Coordinates of all heavy atoms in Angstrom, one line a residue:
M1 N -6.2 -15.9 9.4 CA -5.6 -15.0 8.2 C -4.7 -15.9 7.5 O -3.9 -16.7 8.1 CB -5.0 -13.8 8.6 CG -4.3 -13.1 7.6 SD -3.7 -11.4 7.9 CE -5.1 -10.5 8.2
T2 N -4.7 -15.9 6.1 CA -3.7 -16.7 5.3 C -2.6 -15.7 4.9 O -2.8 -14.5 5.1 CB -4.3 -17.2 4.1 OG1 -4.7 -16.2 3.2 CG2 -5.6 -18.1 4.4
I3 N -1.7 -16.3 4.4 CA -0.4 -15.4 3.8 C -0.9 -14.6 2.6 O -0.6 -13.4 2.5 CB 0.8 -16.2 3.5 CG1 2.0 -15.3 3.3 CG2 0.6 -17.1 2.3 CD1 2.4 -14.5 4.5
D4 N -1.8 -15.2 1.9 CA -2.4 -14.4 0.8 C -3.3 -13.2 1.2 O -3.1 -12.1 0.7 CB -3.3 -15.3 -0.1 CG -2.5 -16.2 -0.9 OD1 -1.4 -15.9 -1.3 OD2 -3.0 -17.4 -1.1
D5 N -3.9 -13.3 2.3 CA -4.7 -12.2 3.0 C -3.7 -11.1 3.5 O -3.9 -10.0 3.4 CB -5.5 -12.6 4.2 CG -6.7 -13.6 3.8 OD1 -7.1 -13.6 2.6 OD2 -7.1 -14.4 4.7
A6 N -2.6 -11.7 4.1 CA -1.6 -10.7 4.7 C -1.0 -9.9 3.5 O -0.8 -8.7 3.6 CB -0.5 -11.5 5.5
I7 N -0.8 -10.6 2.4 CA 0.0 -9.9 1.3 C -1.0 -8.9 0.7 O -0.6 -7.8 0.4 CB 0.4 -11.1 0.1 CG1 1.5 -11.8 0.7 CG2 0.6 -10.3 -1.2 CD1 1.8 -13.1 -0.2
K8 N -2.2 -9.3 0.6 CA -3.3 -8.3 0.1 C -3.4 -7.1 1.0 O -3.4 -6.0 0.4 CB -4.7 -9.0 -0.1 CG -5.8 -8.1 -0.3 CD -6.2 -8.0 -1.8 CE -7.4 -7.3 -2.0 NZ -7.4 -5.9 -2.0
K9 N -3.3 -7.3 2.3 CA -3.5 -6.2 3.2 C -2.4 -5.2 3.1 O -2.5 -4.0 2.9 CB -3.6 -6.7 4.6 CG -3.7 -5.6 5.7 CD -3.7 -6.1 7.1 CE -3.9 -5.0 8.1 NZ -4.2 -5.5 9.4
M10 N -1.1 -5.8 3.0 CA 0.1 -5.0 2.9 C 0.1 -4.3 1.5 O 0.5 -3.1 1.4 CB 1.3 -5.8 3.1 CG 1.4 -6.2 4.5 SD 1.3 -5.0 5.8 CE 3.0 -4.3 5.6
T11 N -0.3 -5.0 0.5 CA -0.2 -4.5 -0.9 C -1.2 -3.3 -1.0 O -1.0 -2.2 -1.5 CB -0.6 -5.5 -2.0 OG1 0.3 -6.5 -1.9 CG2 -0.6 -5.0 -3.3
D12 N -2.3 -3.4 -0.4 CA -3.4 -2.3 -0.3 C -2.8 -0.9 0.4 O -3.0 0.1 0.0 CB -4.7 -2.7 0.4 CG -5.5 -3.7 -0.5 OD1 -5.1 -3.8 -1.7 OD2 -6.4 -4.4 0.0
L13 N -2.1 -1.3 1.5 CA -1.5 -0.1 2.3 C -0.4 0.6 1.4 O -0.3 1.8 1.4 CB -0.8 -0.7 3.6 CG -1.8 -1.1 4.7 CD1 -1.0 -1.8 5.7 CD2 -2.5 0.1 5.2
I14 N 0.4 -0.2 0.7 CA 1.5 0.4 -0.1 C 0.8 1.2 -1.2 O 1.3 2.3 -1.5 CB 2.4 -0.8 -0.8 CG1 3.2 -1.4 0.3 CG2 3.3 -0.2 -1.9 CD1 3.8 -2.8 0.0
A15 N -0.2 0.6 -2.0 CA -0.9 1.3 -3.0 C -1.5 2.6 -2.4 O -1.6 3.6 -3.2 CB -1.9 0.4 -3.6
A16 N -2.1 2.6 -1.2 CA -2.6 3.9 -0.7 C -1.5 5.0 -0.4 O -1.8 6.0 -0.6 CB -3.4 3.5 0.6
A17 N -0.4 4.4 -0.1 CA 0.8 5.3 0.2 C 1.3 5.8 -1.1 O 1.9 7.0 -1.1 CB 1.7 4.7 1.1
C18 N 1.4 5.1 -2.1 CA 2.0 5.4 -3.4 C 1.4 4.7 -4.5 O 1.7 3.5 -4.7 CB 3.5 5.2 -3.3 SG 4.4 5.6 -4.8
A19 N 0.6 5.5 -5.3 CA -0.2 4.8 -6.4 C 0.7 4.3 -7.5 O 0.3 3.4 -8.2 CB -1.2 5.9 -6.9
V20 N 1.9 4.8 -7.6 CA 2.7 4.4 -8.7 C 3.8 3.3 -8.4 O 4.6 2.9 -9.2 CB 3.4 5.6 -9.4 CG1 2.5 6.7 -10.0 CG2 4.4 6.2 -8.4
A21 N 3.7 2.9 -7.1 CA 4.7 1.9 -6.7 C 4.4 0.5 -7.5 O 3.2 0.1 -7.6 CB 4.5 1.7 -5.1
E22 N 5.4 -0.2 -7.8 CA 5.4 -1.5 -8.4 C 5.8 -2.5 -7.3 O 6.8 -2.3 -6.6 CB 6.4 -1.6 -9.5 CG 6.4 -2.9 -10.2 CD 7.4 -3.1 -11.3 OE1 7.9 -2.0 -11.8 OE2 7.8 -4.3 -11.6
I23 N 4.9 -3.5 -7.1 CA 4.9 -4.5 -6.0 C 5.1 -5.7 -6.5 O 4.4 -6.2 -7.4 CB 3.8 -4.4 -5.1 CG1 3.5 -2.9 -4.6 CG2 3.9 -5.3 -3.9 CD1 2.2 -2.7 -4.0
K24 N 6.2 -6.5 -6.1 CA 6.4 -7.9 -6.5 C 6.4 -8.7 -5.1 O 7.3 -8.4 -4.3 CB 7.8 -8.0 -7.2 CG 7.8 -7.4 -8.5 CD 9.1 -7.6 -9.2 CE 9.2 -6.8 -10.5 NZ 10.4 -6.9 -11.2
A25 N 5.5 -9.6 -5.1 CA 5.3 -10.5 -3.9 C 6.0 -11.9 -4.1 O 5.9 -12.4 -5.3 CB 3.9 -10.6 -3.5
A26 N 6.7 -12.4 -3.1 CA 7.2 -13.7 -3.2 C 6.7 -14.4 -1.9 O 7.2 -14.0 -0.8 CB 8.7 -13.6 -3.3
K27 N 6.1 -15.5 -2.0 CA 5.7 -16.3 -0.9 C 6.8 -17.3 -0.6 O 7.3 -18.0 -1.3 CB 4.4 -17.1 -1.1 CG 3.2 -16.3 -1.0 CD 2.0 -17.3 -1.0 CE 1.3 -17.3 -2.4 NZ 0.1 -18.0 -2.5
M28 N 7.3 -17.2 0.8 CA 8.5 -18.0 1.2 C 7.9 -19.3 1.8 O 8.5 -20.4 1.7 CB 9.3 -17.3 2.1 CG 9.8 -15.9 1.7 SD 10.3 -15.8 0.0 CE 12.1 -15.4 0.4
S29 N 6.8 -19.2 2.5 CA 6.1 -20.3 3.2 C 4.7 -19.9 3.4 O 4.2 -18.9 3.0 CB 6.8 -20.6 4.4 OG 6.6 -19.6 5.4
D30 N 4.0 -20.7 4.1 CA 2.5 -20.4 4.5 C 2.5 -19.3 5.4 O 1.4 -18.8 5.7 CB 1.9 -21.7 5.1 CG 1.6 -22.8 4.0 OD1 1.6 -22.4 2.8 OD2 1.3 -23.9 4.4
E31 N 3.6 -18.9 6.2 CA 3.5 -17.9 7.0 C 4.5 -16.7 6.8 O 4.6 -15.6 7.5 CB 3.9 -18.4 8.5 CG 3.1 -19.4 9.1 CD 3.4 -20.8 8.7 OE1 4.6 -21.1 8.3 OE2 2.6 -21.7 8.6
E32 N 5.2 -16.8 5.6 CA 6.2 -15.7 5.3 C 6.1 -15.3 3.9 O 6.0 -16.1 3.0 CB 7.5 -16.3 5.7 CG 8.6 -15.2 5.5 CD 10.0 -15.8 5.9 OE1 10.1 -17.0 6.2 OE2 11.1 -15.0 5.7
A33 N 6.3 -14.0 3.7 CA 6.4 -13.4 2.3 C 7.3 -12.2 2.3 O 7.5 -11.6 3.3 CB 5.0 -12.9 1.9
R34 N 7.8 -12.0 1.2 CA 8.6 -10.7 0.9 C 8.0 -9.9 -0.2 O 7.6 -10.4 -1.2 CB 10.0 -11.2 0.4 CG 10.9 -10.1 0.0 CD 12.2 -10.6 -0.6 NE 12.8 -9.5 -1.1 CZ 14.1 -9.1 -0.8 NH1 14.8 -9.9 0.1 NH2 14.7 -8.1 -1.3
L35 N 7.8 -8.7 0.1 CA 7.3 -7.8 -0.9 C 8.4 -6.8 -1.3 O 9.0 -6.0 -0.4 CB 6.1 -6.9 -0.3 CG 4.8 -7.7 0.1 CD1 3.8 -6.7 0.7 CD2 4.2 -8.5 -1.0
S36 N 8.8 -6.8 -2.6 CA 9.7 -5.9 -3.0 C 9.0 -4.7 -3.7 O 8.2 -5.0 -4.6 CB 10.6 -6.6 -4.1 OG 11.3 -7.6 -3.5
V37 N 9.2 -3.6 -3.3 CA 8.4 -2.3 -3.7 C 9.4 -1.5 -4.4 O 10.4 -1.0 -3.9 CB 7.7 -1.6 -2.5 CG1 6.9 -0.5 -3.0 CG2 7.0 -2.7 -1.7
Y38 N 9.1 -1.0 -5.6 CA 9.9 -0.1 -6.4 C 9.0 1.1 -6.6 O 8.0 1.1 -7.3 CB 10.2 -0.7 -7.8 CG 11.0 -2.0 -7.6 CD1 10.3 -3.3 -7.5 CD2 12.3 -2.1 -7.5 CE1 11.0 -4.5 -7.3 CE2 13.0 -3.3 -7.3 CZ 12.3 -4.5 -7.3 OH 13.0 -5.6 -7.0
A39 N 9.6 2.3 -6.1 CA 8.9 3.6 -6.1 C 9.9 4.7 -6.2 O 11.1 4.5 -6.0 CB 8.1 3.6 -4.7
P40 N 9.3 5.8 -6.7 CA 10.1 7.1 -6.7 C 10.9 7.3 -5.3 O 10.3 7.1 -4.3 CB 9.3 8.2 -7.1 CG 8.1 7.5 -7.7 CD 7.9 6.1 -7.1
A41 N 12.1 7.8 -5.3 CA 12.8 8.1 -4.2 C 11.9 9.0 -3.2 O 12.1 8.6 -2.0 CB 14.1 8.7 -4.5
G42 N 11.3 10.0 -3.6 CA 10.5 10.8 -2.7 C 9.4 10.1 -2.1 O 8.8 10.7 -1.1
E43 N 9.0 8.9 -2.5 CA 7.8 8.2 -2.0 C 8.2 7.1 -1.0 O 7.4 6.5 -0.4 CB 7.0 7.7 -3.0 CG 6.5 8.7 -4.1 CD 5.4 9.6 -3.5 OE1 4.5 9.1 -2.8 OE2 5.6 10.9 -3.5
M44 N 9.5 6.8 -1.0 CA 10.1 5.6 -0.3 C 9.6 5.7 1.3 O 9.2 4.7 1.8 CB 11.5 5.5 -0.5 CG 11.8 5.0 -1.9 SD 13.5 5.0 -2.2 CE 14.2 3.7 -1.2
Q45 N 9.9 6.8 1.9 CA 9.7 7.0 3.3 C 8.2 6.8 3.6 O 7.8 6.3 4.6 CB 10.3 8.2 3.8 CG 10.2 8.1 5.4 CD 11.2 7.2 5.9 OE1 12.3 6.9 5.5 NE2 10.6 6.5 6.9
K46 N 7.3 7.4 2.7 CA 5.9 7.2 3.0 C 5.5 5.8 3.0 O 4.7 5.3 3.8 CB 5.1 7.9 1.9 CG 5.0 9.4 2.0 CD 4.3 10.2 1.0 CE 3.1 9.5 0.3 NZ 2.5 10.3 -0.7
I47 N 6.1 4.9 2.2 CA 5.7 3.6 2.1 C 6.2 2.9 3.3 O 5.6 2.0 4.0 CB 6.3 2.8 0.8 CG1 5.6 3.5 -0.4 CG2 6.1 1.4 0.9 CD1 6.3 3.1 -1.7
K48 N 7.4 3.2 3.8 CA 8.0 2.5 5.0 C 7.2 3.0 6.1 O 6.9 2.0 7.0 CB 9.6 3.0 5.1 CG 10.4 2.5 4.1 CD 11.8 3.1 4.3 CE 12.8 2.6 3.2 NZ 14.1 3.2 3.3
D49 N 6.8 4.2 6.3 CA 6.0 4.6 7.4 C 4.6 3.9 7.4 O 4.1 3.6 8.5 CB 5.7 6.1 7.4 CG 7.0 6.9 7.6 OD1 8.1 6.2 8.1 OD2 7.1 8.1 7.4
A50 N 4.0 3.8 6.2 CA 2.7 3.1 6.1 C 2.7 1.6 6.4 O 1.7 1.1 6.8 CB 2.1 3.4 4.7
T51 N 3.8 0.9 6.2 CA 3.8 -0.5 6.4 C 4.6 -1.0 7.7 O 4.3 -2.1 8.0 CB 4.5 -1.1 5.2 OG1 5.8 -0.6 5.1 CG2 3.7 -0.8 3.9
F52 N 5.3 -0.2 8.4 CA 6.0 -0.6 9.5 C 5.3 -1.2 10.6 O 5.3 -2.4 10.8 CB 7.0 0.6 10.0 CG 7.7 0.1 11.3 CD1 8.9 -0.6 11.1 CD2 7.4 0.5 12.5 CE1 9.7 -1.0 12.1 CE2 8.1 0.1 13.6 CZ 9.3 -0.6 13.4
Q53 N 4.4 -0.4 11.2 CA 3.5 -1.0 12.3 C 2.6 -2.1 11.8 O 2.4 -3.1 12.5 CB 2.8 0.2 12.9 CG 2.1 -0.3 14.3 CD 3.1 -0.7 15.3 OE1 4.1 0.0 15.6 NE2 2.8 -1.9 15.8
P54 N 1.9 -1.9 10.6 CA 1.0 -3.0 10.2 C 1.8 -4.4 10.0 O 1.2 -5.4 10.4 CB 0.4 -2.6 8.9 CG 0.4 -1.1 9.0 CD 1.7 -0.8 9.8
A55 N 3.1 -4.3 9.5 CA 3.8 -5.5 9.4 C 4.1 -6.1 10.8 O 4.0 -7.4 11.0 CB 5.1 -5.2 8.7
L56 N 4.4 -5.3 11.8 CA 4.5 -5.8 13.1 C 3.3 -6.4 13.6 O 3.4 -7.5 14.3 CB 5.2 -4.7 14.1 CG 6.6 -4.3 13.8 CD1 6.9 -3.2 14.7 CD2 7.5 -5.4 14.1
D57 N 2.3 -5.8 13.5 CA 1.0 -6.3 14.0 C 0.6 -7.7 13.3 O 0.1 -8.5 14.1 CB -0.2 -5.3 13.7 CG 0.0 -4.0 14.5 OD1 0.7 -4.0 15.5 OD2 -0.7 -2.9 14.1
L58 N 0.9 -7.8 12.1 CA 0.5 -9.1 11.4 C 1.4 -10.1 12.0 O 0.9 -11.3 12.2 CB 0.9 -9.0 9.9 CG -0.3 -8.3 9.0 CD1 0.3 -8.2 7.6 CD2 -1.5 -9.1 9.1
L59 N 2.7 -9.9 12.3 CA 3.5 -10.8 12.9 C 3.1 -11.2 14.3 O 3.0 -12.3 14.7 CB 5.0 -10.3 12.9 CG 6.1 -11.2 13.4 CD1 6.2 -12.6 12.6 CD2 7.4 -10.6 13.4
N60 N 2.8 -10.2 15.2 CA 2.4 -10.4 16.6 C 1.1 -11.0 16.8 O 0.9 -11.8 17.6 CB 2.6 -9.1 17.3 CG 4.0 -8.7 17.5 OD1 5.0 -9.4 17.4 ND2 4.3 -7.4 17.4
S61 N 0.2 -10.6 15.9 CA -1.2 -11.1 16.1 C -1.6 -12.2 15.3 O -2.5 -13.0 15.7 CB -2.3 -9.9 15.9 OG -2.3 -9.5 14.6
D62 N -1.1 -12.4 14.2 CA -1.5 -13.5 13.2 C -0.4 -14.4 12.9 O -0.5 -15.4 12.2 CB -2.0 -12.8 11.9 CG -3.3 -12.1 12.2 OD1 -4.3 -12.7 12.6 OD2 -3.2 -10.9 12.0
G63 N 0.8 -14.2 13.3 CA 2.0 -15.1 13.0 C 2.4 -14.9 11.5 O 3.1 -15.9 11.0
M64 N 2.0 -13.9 10.9 CA 2.4 -13.7 9.4 C 3.6 -12.8 9.2 O 3.5 -11.6 9.7 CB 1.2 -13.2 8.7 CG -0.1 -14.1 8.5 SD 0.4 -15.5 7.6 CE -0.6 -16.7 8.4
D65 N 4.6 -13.3 8.8 CA 5.9 -12.4 8.6 C 5.9 -11.9 7.1 O 6.4 -12.6 6.3 CB 7.0 -13.3 8.9 CG 8.4 -12.5 8.9 OD1 8.3 -11.3 8.7 OD2 9.4 -13.2 9.0
V66 N 5.5 -10.7 7.0 CA 5.4 -10.0 5.6 C 6.5 -9.0 5.7 O 6.3 -7.9 6.4 CB 4.0 -9.5 5.3 CG1 4.2 -8.8 3.9 CG2 3.0 -10.6 5.4
Q67 N 7.6 -9.2 5.0 CA 8.8 -8.2 5.0 C 8.6 -7.3 3.7 O 8.3 -7.8 2.7 CB 10.0 -8.9 4.9 CG 10.2 -9.9 6.1 CD 11.5 -10.9 5.9 OE1 12.2 -10.5 5.2 NE2 11.3 -12.1 6.4
V68 N 8.7 -6.0 4.0 CA 8.6 -5.0 2.9 C 9.9 -4.4 2.7 O 10.6 -3.9 3.7 CB 7.6 -3.9 3.4 CG1 7.4 -3.0 2.3 CG2 6.2 -4.7 3.5
F69 N 10.4 -4.5 1.5 CA 11.7 -4.0 1.0 C 11.4 -2.9 0.0 O 10.9 -3.2 -1.0 CB 12.6 -5.0 0.5 CG 13.1 -6.0 1.6 CD1 12.3 -7.2 1.8 CD2 14.2 -6.0 2.4 CE1 12.6 -8.1 2.7 CE2 14.5 -6.8 3.4 CZ 13.8 -7.9 3.4
V70 N 11.8 -1.7 0.3 CA 11.5 -0.6 -0.6 C 12.7 -0.1 -1.3 O 13.7 0.1 -0.7 CB 10.9 0.6 0.1 CG1 10.4 1.6 -0.8 CG2 9.6 0.2 1.0
Y71 N 12.6 0.0 -2.6 CA 13.8 0.3 -3.4 C 13.4 1.5 -4.4 O 12.3 1.7 -4.8 CB 14.1 -0.9 -4.4 CG 14.5 -2.1 -3.7 CD1 13.6 -3.1 -3.6 CD2 15.7 -2.3 -3.1 CE1 13.8 -4.4 -2.9 CE2 16.0 -3.5 -2.5 CZ 15.1 -4.4 -2.3 OH 15.4 -5.6 -1.8
D72 N 14.4 2.4 -4.6 CA 14.3 3.5 -5.6 C 14.2 3.0 -7.0 O 15.1 2.4 -7.6 CB 15.5 4.4 -5.5 CG 15.4 5.6 -6.5 OD1 14.5 5.7 -7.2 OD2 16.3 6.4 -6.3
K73 N 13.1 3.2 -7.6 CA 12.8 2.5 -8.9 C 13.7 3.2 -10.0 O 13.9 2.6 -11.1 CB 11.4 2.6 -9.5 CG 10.9 4.0 -9.7 CD 9.5 4.0 -10.3 CE 9.1 5.3 -10.9 NZ 9.6 5.6 -12.1
D74 N 14.3 4.4 -9.7 CA 15.1 5.0 -10.7 C 16.6 4.8 -10.6 O 17.4 5.4 -11.3 CB 14.7 6.5 -10.7 CG 13.3 6.8 -11.1 OD1 12.8 6.1 -12.1 OD2 12.6 7.6 -10.4
A75 N 16.9 4.2 -9.4 CA 18.4 3.9 -9.2 C 18.9 2.9 -10.2 O 18.2 1.9 -10.5 CB 18.6 3.5 -7.8
P76 N 20.1 3.1 -10.6 CA 20.6 2.0 -11.5 C 20.9 0.7 -10.7 O 21.2 0.7 -9.6 CB 22.0 2.6 -12.0 CG 22.3 3.6 -10.9 CD 21.0 4.1 -10.3
P77 N 20.7 -0.4 -11.5 CA 21.0 -1.7 -10.8 C 22.4 -1.8 -10.4 O 23.3 -1.3 -11.0 CB 20.6 -2.7 -11.8 CG 20.6 -1.9 -13.1 CD 20.4 -0.6 -12.8
L78 N 22.7 -2.5 -9.3 CA 24.0 -2.8 -8.7 C 24.6 -3.8 -9.6 O 24.0 -4.8 -10.0 CB 24.0 -3.2 -7.4 CG 23.4 -2.3 -6.3 CD1 23.4 -3.0 -4.9 CD2 24.4 -1.1 -6.2
K79 N 25.9 -3.6 -10.0 CA 26.6 -4.5 -10.7 C 27.6 -5.4 -9.8 O 28.3 -4.9 -9.0 CB 27.5 -3.8 -11.8 CG 26.7 -3.0 -12.7 CD 27.4 -2.5 -13.9 CE 26.4 -1.8 -14.8 NZ 27.0 -1.3 -15.9
G80 N 27.5 -6.6 -9.9 CA 28.2 -7.5 -9.1 C 29.4 -8.0 -9.7 O 30.3 -8.6 -9.5

């Protein structure tokens, strides 16, 4: 499995859990990626539940570290 395959698998799971989620993928290396997911607050836990075990399975069985970070799309941005 490639990191692109792993990203596609996780993206499909996220889309199945929440059709309106916006997903931004960033490849960190050939084995690591970060998915930033922006979804309505009420859908956030569904996405976390849908991706938790598959992400662990990808890491343990394929060595692919796909981290999923879920954010409330309606929350105001933090000011630094």
Side-chain angles (χ1 to χ4, degrees):
M1 174 176 286
T2 67
I3 193 63
D4 290 321
D5 295 334
I7 290 169
K8 169 94 170 83
K9 179 177 181 170
M10 295 303 287
T11 299
D12 289 348
L13 287 171
I14 294 164
C18 178
V20 298
E22 180 183 339
I23 305 162
K24 295 182 182 178
K27 282 192 257 184
M28 311 311 247
S29 71
D30 289 342
E31 298 87 25
E32 184 179 0
R34 174 188 171 123
L35 299 181
S36 297
V37 183
Y38 301 89
E43 302 291 311
M44 292 173 63
Q45 192 60 48
K46 280 177 36 179
I47 295 166
K48 291 176 185 179
D49 292 344
T51 59
F52 178 76
Q53 191 60 50
L56 286 178
D57 293 344
L58 282 172
L59 183 60
N60 292 327
S61 65
D62 297 295
M64 296 292 150
D65 184 8
V66 181
Q67 302 168 31
V68 179
F69 296 89
V70 185
Y71 303 100
D72 180 354
K73 72 175 190 73
D74 298 317
L78 295 175
K79 296 189 180 185

